[in-house]
């Protein structure tokens, strides 16, 4: 296990189609996060899980977006009825449950770049 | 007002020079602070945590000013490989939650 793995790396889809992304976190990490990043902006928080429980969702996460982490290991992010505004890099990150300041850092995956045409 | 604000740059820096830049955060109760580095079309990577007393990691020095709610990063003896976007990151909740809030990034270009 060398890090956080995301698939696919790139996805081009037509407007209105559904897409699903997968994230495999570092195995010892209890927490898993999804962020979205558009060009020239910093990553924006979407949602996070502690084990299999989804603890928080951003208001950015409309009802077209759903995330799951059914067994507390890998996670999927699905976008239904994609829109051109969904085009972005979708980043997954994982971390241990923080106990010290040093634990707060995330490890990010390489991201999935979504283009909606 | 954004929770974390940064000058987007770019900061054009001659190789070997020193560059410094700040970010400001709006939540005075924020607990933890970080600098991440992001290369073009790559994922962010943790550069360093920022401690209240200030801390150094090689050529990089981070400072935290809680009274004025800003964080700074200084890079000494800049290398060409330091060219990247530097993301200021704040954890507003500390141990109560690990949701990091990112600034928009400051772009640094080191030139020969």
């Amino acid at each position: 296990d060398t890090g956080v793995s995301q698939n696919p790396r790139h996805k081009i889809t037509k407007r209105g189609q559904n897409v699903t992304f997968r994230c495999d976190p570092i195995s010892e990490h209890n927490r898993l996060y999804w962020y979205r990043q558009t060009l020239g902006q910093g990553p924006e928080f979407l949602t996070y899980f502690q084990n299999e429980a989804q603890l928080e969702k951003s208001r950015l996460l409309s009802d077209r977006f759903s995330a799951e982490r059914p067994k507390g290991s890998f996670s999927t992010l699905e976008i239904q009825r994609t829109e051109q505004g969904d085009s972005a890099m979708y980043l997954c990150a994982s971390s241990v449950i923080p106990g010290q300041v040093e634990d707060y850092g995330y490890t990010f995956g390489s991201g999935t770049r979504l283009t909606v045409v | 007002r954004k929770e974390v604000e940064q000058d987007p740059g770019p900061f054009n820096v001659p190789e070997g020079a020193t560059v410094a830049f700040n970010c400001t955060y709006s939540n005075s109760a924020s607990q933890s602070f970080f600098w991440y580095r992001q290369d073009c079309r790559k994922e962010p990577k943790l550069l360093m945590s920022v401690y209240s007393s200030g801390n150094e990691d090689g050529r990089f020095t981070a400072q935290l000013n809680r009274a004025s709610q800003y964080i700074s990063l200084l890079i000494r003896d800049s290398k060409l490989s330091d060219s990247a976007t530097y993301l200021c990151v704040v954890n507003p909740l500390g141990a109560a939650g690990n949701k990091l809030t990112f600034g928009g990034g400051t772009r640094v270009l080191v030139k020969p």
Side-chain angles (χ1 to χ4, degrees):
Chain A
D1 189 345
T2 57
V4 179
S5 176
Q6 289 189 249
N7 289 288
R9 292 292 303 274
H10 303 275
K11 179 71 178 178
I12 300 174
T13 190
K14 290 184 178 179
R15 192 173 50 187
Q17 298 294 305
N18 299 344
V19 294
T20 300
F21 311 141
R22 176 176 170 130
C23 172
D24 288 88
I26 292 173
S27 56
E28 312 86 68
H29 286 182
N30 309 92
R31 287 194 174 172
L32 185 148
Y33 313 82
W34 286 100
Y35 279 74
R36 180 173 69 187
Q37 187 174 25
T38 53
L39 199 61
Q41 304 296 316
E44 296 175 297
F45 171 79
L46 293 179
T47 187
Y48 89 93
F49 294 83
Q50 182 164 306
N51 300 315
E52 67 276 9
Q54 188 172 18
L55 296 188
E56 187 172 346
K57 293 195 293 186
S58 164
R59 283 169 290 185
L60 290 175
L61 213 66
S62 76
D63 56 7
R64 296 185 299 104
F65 287 70
S66 62
E68 294 183 342
R69 194 184 184 197
K71 297 182 180 178
S73 56
F74 74 90
S75 175
T76 57
L77 177 69
E78 181 183 15
I79 309 174
Q80 296 182 325
R81 305 180 304 281
T82 52
E83 302 172 355
Q84 286 188 319
D86 297 331
S87 295
M89 173 79 89
Y90 289 83
L91 291 161
C92 176
S94 69
S95 77
V96 296
I97 296 174
Q100 300 174 349
V101 170
E102 290 80 5
D103 289 340
Y104 286 178
Y106 294 174
T107 301
F108 280 92
S110 300
T112 294
R113 186 170 297 279
L114 173 66
T115 303
V116 181
V117 297
Chain B
R1 182 185 173 189
K2 289 184 179 179
E3 290 185 65
V4 181
E5 294 204 65
Q6 296 184 249
D7 181 340
F11 285 63
N12 294 300
V13 185
E15 191 176 8
T18 295
V19 61
F21 42 88
N22 297 337
C23 90
T24 58
Y25 60 94
S26 60
N27 186 340
S28 60
S30 294
Q31 300 291 316
S32 312
F33 309 89
F34 307 88
W35 284 103
Y36 275 68
R37 170 194 168 124
Q38 187 170 29
D39 294 302
C40 188
R41 302 183 78 84
K42 299 281 191 182
E43 74 274 20
K45 293 185 178 177
L46 178 64
L47 179 66
M48 60 196 300
S49 302
V50 185
Y51 303 128
S52 295
S53 54
N55 48 298
E56 245 182 59
D57 184 359
R59 298 180 293 106
F60 296 83
T61 301
Q63 297 279 350
L64 167 63
N65 186 318
R66 284 190 183 271
S68 301
Q69 293 179 215
Y70 76 82
I71 308 150
S72 65
L73 181 68
L74 182 145
I75 308 173
R76 284 186 300 278
D77 186 23
S78 298
K79 310 292 184 191
L80 297 177
S81 57
D82 294 333
S83 296
T85 296
Y86 291 85
L87 297 165
C88 175
V89 187
V90 174
N91 181 356
L93 299 177
N98 195 20
K99 186 183 78 177
L100 301 186
T101 301
F102 287 76
T106 295
R107 193 167 168 218
V108 172
L109 296 173
V110 181
K111 300 187 175 179

